[in-house]
Amino acid sequence: AVYQRRVREAVVSTQSTGTYVWYGKGCSTLEMKVGDYIATSIVNKSAPMIGVHEGSEPAQFWSLLGGKEEYATSLILAQAEPTYPARLFHVSNAKGYIAIEEMVDFAQEDLIEEDVIILDCSDEIFIWIGAMANEVERKNGLKLAQEYLESDPSGRDPDAVTMYQVRQGYEPPNFRAHFAGWDFRFRSAKQGVTVNEGVRDANAVMKELEREHYPYLELNDGRCPAGVDPCRKEDFLNDEDFAVVFGMEREKYHSLAKWRKINLKKEKKMF
């Protein structure tokens, strides 16, 4: 279908105007011929066939589909024979160290929610964060994706490639298009992740991970920036803000009993 993958045709049959055959920019001559054959010999033999090329669809075409929605439009999908096929890498520290492994003939089932996945789509690289991936995997997944791009021997210009961090359950069309028959029920979104956090510029996330301190208003009331341990938010306040928020110096705070520190953090909404 149009919304699933750009390189395929979408055939829509109507009783009044005929049968639409949609040609994606990346479909091959053979795929176009097969689409034409299905429209004229199987879907509706008596109705006229209306060929529609991507980018020149009439309003009625989208109306028959229930309205135009966002669909995959990446460079790699616009090529019948991609010069740089998509590649998928699995990142995990399940064995006690960070390991990266390329998955051949990958499928949606390879998106393991305990780990991180790097999907290279030529002009876009997605770092997929599973709902149960730990902080070590997340940080290293972003760094490995950057190192992978910078050391790529294919000759790609790193500045021409956009990298995105994608949270499980918020996969955009250009990501889903590389998994045949995407099942939206397969993986659910992680609770507590907002829509704005679902897909983010990976370079912006990496800059956040490198930050050592945050203002109090970015850490309280359930807020937790990338790279911040939710159990140690107080460690990410600078010394001046720490003294203002907790009413004491950091050294005195650390000398308190554990239950006192917990109560203080609850009082200051630092959980």
Side-chain angles (χ1 to χ4, degrees):
V2 176
Y3 301 137
Q4 178 58 30
R5 189 159 186 175
R6 179 177 184 168
V7 299
R8 296 178 179 172
E9 304 92 341
V11 181
V12 183
S13 176
T14 65
Q15 294 181 349
S16 57
T17 58
T19 302
Y20 281 102
V21 182
W22 182 84
Y23 308 116
K25 289 183 178 179
C27 70
S28 65
T29 301
L30 176 59
E31 289 171 325
M32 294 176 71
K33 290 181 178 179
V34 171
D36 294 348
Y37 173 77
I38 292 173
T40 57
S41 303
I42 298 177
V43 175
N44 194 331
K45 296 181 180 180
S46 60
M49 188 196 80
I50 306 170
V52 178
H53 289 270
E54 181 178 359
S56 60
E57 303 89 348
Q60 186 180 22
F61 174 82
W62 294 117
S63 177
L64 292 168
L65 290 173
K68 185 177 181 179
E69 298 178 6
E70 183 183 10
Y71 65 92
T73 57
S74 66
L75 176 64
I76 193 172
L77 296 177
Q79 302 171 338
E81 295 294 334
T83 55
Y84 195 94
R87 302 176 68 185
L88 185 140
F89 301 88
H90 173 240
V91 181
S92 174
N93 71 338
K95 296 181 180 180
Y97 56 89
I98 288 293
I100 182 168
E101 177 185 6
E102 182 168 9
M103 311 295 288
V104 182
D105 295 327
F106 57 86
Q108 189 175 356
E109 289 76 12
D110 292 315
L111 301 177
I112 302 172
E113 62 181 3
E114 291 86 3
D115 297 319
V116 169
I117 297 293
I118 298 173
L119 177 63
D120 179 8
C121 305
S122 183
D123 61 327
E124 296 177 316
I125 292 179
F126 298 97
I127 301 94
W128 183 85
I129 310 297
M132 299 177 66
N134 59 50
E135 197 64 28
V136 173
E137 291 168 334
R138 183 185 170 198
K139 288 182 179 180
N140 280 277
L142 289 162
K143 292 178 181 178
L144 286 169
Q146 183 66 49
E147 293 172 2
Y148 163 77
L149 175 61
E150 292 174 351
S151 62
D152 181 13
S154 70
R156 278 186 297 177
D157 179 4
D159 293 333
V161 179
T162 306
M163 295 202 306
Y164 298 99
Q165 175 184 272
V166 178
R167 294 280 195 158
Q168 177 180 326
Y170 293 91
E171 299 82 2
N174 279 2
F175 181 96
R176 300 195 305 265
H178 294 280
F179 300 86
W182 180 272
D183 184 358
F184 286 90
R185 301 167 298 176
F186 185 70
R187 299 291 190 212
S188 59
K190 182 178 180 180
Q191 292 185 352
V193 177
T194 66
V195 174
N196 290 336
E197 294 174 330
V199 180
R200 297 190 58 201
D201 179 270
N203 290 316
V205 176
M206 284 190 283
K207 287 181 180 179
E208 287 185 6
L209 292 173
E210 294 171 356
R211 288 181 63 178
E212 295 183 359
H213 299 114
Y214 291 85
Y216 173 63
L217 292 179
E218 291 185 27
L219 295 168
N220 69 343
D221 276 338
R223 301 179 184 89
C224 190
V228 172
D229 185 341
C231 296
R232 299 189 305 107
K233 287 184 179 181
E234 68 276 15
D235 292 344
F236 292 86
L237 291 169
N238 63 34
D239 290 339
E240 182 179 349
D241 288 344
F242 188 96
V244 171
V245 172
F246 290 99
M248 64 184 74
E249 299 299 321
R250 200 181 298 271
E251 291 74 14
K252 182 176 181 180
Y253 171 84
H254 287 306
S255 69
L256 299 176
K258 184 177 180 179
W259 66 269
R260 291 276 311 275
K261 289 188 282 189
I262 291 175
N263 285 343
L264 274 173
K265 289 201 290 183
K266 286 181 178 179
E267 179 184 329
K268 304 302 179 180
K269 299 181 178 180
M270 290 287 282
F271 267 110

